[in-house]
Amino acid sequence: MASVLVVEDDQFVRSALIRHLSEASHTVRSVGTALEALREVAHFRFDVVILDLGLPDLDGGEALKMLRSITDVPVIIATARDDESEIVRLLNDGADDYLTKPFSVEHLSARMTAVLRRSRAAGAEAPPPGVLRVGGLSIDPLRRTAELDGAGLDLTRREFDLLAFLAGRPGVVVARKELLAEVWQQSYGDDQTIEVHLSWLRRKLGETAARPRYLHTLRGVGVKLQPPPDTPGAAPLAEPSA
């Protein structure tokens, strides 16, 4: 059975979904706004999110992009809109499936089962990774913990995913397009999303873009993570070419 977050502002629809999902032995939490949904996924781990588009505080399409910036939880869009171009856009923006209202509980259950099966199969394909160490950084992908010089780092899910991905390729310049594809699971997107998360990471690592220690940006090329030059055994930084 799954842990489900229902994001729906229509109280009648919301109550019906909660009742039917609970009767199917799922654990259900529910909210009526996009901001509440973001708070929920930041504090709780869900197996799937059912997201309505017509939310009172923020369009569901924008809410989807914000959810994708902090979590890779499967998202099923549930809405009365049926425009094909919008469906394609939402799927490209990170939605895992799309249901047009009205739909039956059986239809929703079948879609949930399929999405969860794909998600769990993808997680089972990769062997458990070992602890990644880059200088004073220690990242444990299995326990999803990170430390800097022995002190724990308080990272959001997406910050952790970004740091772990770069730590798995120390010293390698990773293009922003690859980061979007591998960390955000998007084929295209706004570079500003990456820059914002890099800025948050730098702050937590005690550095800045002007005075980097671990995170180095090569303008127009990408980003790399490498140990500071004062770390024992670290290779010296190459001088930038003229």
Side-chain angles (χ1 to χ4, degrees), residues 69-128:
S69 73
I70 60 173
T71 180
D72 57 359
V73 62
V75 176
I76 298 176
I77 300 294
T79 181
R81 305 178 195 176
D82 60 359
D83 181 71
E84 183 177 353
S85 62
E86 182 171 26
I87 294 173
V88 171
R89 177 179 60 80
L90 288 164
L91 292 172
N92 285 333
D93 283 345
D96 294 87
D97 208 339
Y98 193 104
L99 276 173
T100 302
K101 297 176 181 177
F103 51 81
S104 68
V105 177
E106 291 75 18
H107 193 175
L108 173 61
S109 295
R111 294 294 185 94
M112 279 180 53
T113 299
V115 165
L116 290 169
R117 184 169 57 242
R118 293 197 299 269
S119 175
R120 287 163 180 166
E125 288 173 0

Side-chain angles (χ1 to χ4, degrees), residues 224-240:
K224 66 178 177 179
L225 179 78
Q226 64 182 31
D230 55 357
T231 302
L237 293 176
E239 292 294 330

Side-chain angles (χ1 to χ4, degrees), residues 8 10 18 29 44 56-57 59 64 93 109 117 126 145 147 150 176 194 197 208-209 221 224-225 229 231 235 238:
E8 169 65 64
D10 186 306
I18 293 171
R29 292 179 66 89
F44 300 98
D57 59 336
D59 180 78
L64 172 64
D93 283 345
S109 295
R117 184 169 57 242
T145 58
E147 296 181 349
R176 283 170 171 75
I194 298 176
H197 282 80
T208 65
V221 182
K224 66 178 177 179
L225 179 78
T231 302

Side-chain angles (χ1 to χ4, degrees), residues 166 168-174 178 223-226:
L166 292 171
R169 298 150 185 80
V172 176
V173 179
V174 181
E178 184 177 356
V223 184
K224 66 178 177 179
L225 179 78
Q226 64 182 31

Side-chain angles (χ1 to χ4, degrees), residues 12-241:
F12 176 79
V13 175
R14 187 170 160 187
S15 297
L17 287 173
I18 293 171
R19 182 175 67 255
H20 290 300
L21 290 170
S22 298
E23 288 174 352
S25 299
H26 297 299
T27 302
V28 186
R29 292 179 66 89
S30 68
V31 294
T33 68
L35 293 180
E36 288 175 317
L38 292 169
R39 282 195 291 267
E40 286 288 306
V41 298
H43 291 91
F44 300 98
R45 184 176 295 277
F46 296 97
D47 295 311
V48 64
V49 173
I50 300 172
L51 175 65
D52 178 50
L53 293 184
L55 299 174
D57 59 336
L58 191 67
D59 180 78
E62 292 303 312
L64 172 64
K65 292 180 182 178
M66 296 176 73
L67 283 170
R68 277 289 163 260
S69 73
I70 60 173
T71 180
D72 57 359
V73 62
V75 176
I76 298 176
I77 300 294
T79 181
R81 305 178 195 176
D82 60 359
D83 181 71
E84 183 177 353
S85 62
E86 182 171 26
I87 294 173
V88 171
R89 177 179 60 80
L90 288 164
L91 292 172
N92 285 333
D93 283 345
D96 294 87
D97 208 339
Y98 193 104
L99 276 173
T100 302
K101 297 176 181 177
F103 51 81
S104 68
V105 177
E106 291 75 18
H107 193 175
L108 173 61
S109 295
R111 294 294 185 94
M112 279 180 53
T113 299
V115 165
L116 290 169
R117 184 169 57 242
R118 293 197 299 269
S119 175
R120 287 163 180 166
E125 288 173 0
V131 176
L132 304 170
R133 301 186 190 280
V134 181
L137 276 170
S138 176
I139 300 107
D140 187 335
L142 190 60
R143 294 182 175 85
R144 294 189 67 82
T145 58
E147 296 181 349
L148 175 60
D149 298 328
L153 293 172
D154 183 16
L155 304 177
T156 66
R157 292 183 184 180
R158 194 64 74 186
E159 289 168 357
F160 181 88
D161 291 341
L162 178 58
L163 181 63
F165 185 79
L166 292 171
R169 298 150 185 80
V172 176
V173 179
V174 181
R176 283 170 171 75
K177 183 177 181 180
E178 184 177 356
L179 289 175
L180 282 170
E182 298 296 334
V183 179
W184 275 264
Q185 303 296 310
Q186 296 180 20
S187 56
Y188 62 89
D190 187 357
D191 283 358
Q192 188 62 30
T193 298
I194 298 176
E195 291 304 323
V196 168
H197 282 80
L198 286 172
S199 176
W200 291 341
L201 264 181
R202 286 191 178 100
R203 190 178 310 150
K204 293 178 180 181
L205 295 176
E207 60 183 68
T208 65
R211 299 180 63 85
R213 297 189 69 239
Y214 284 91
L215 288 167
H216 300 266
T217 299
L218 282 72
R219 190 181 300 276
V221 182
V223 184
K224 66 178 177 179
L225 179 78
Q226 64 182 31
D230 55 357
T231 302
L237 293 176
E239 292 294 330
S241 57

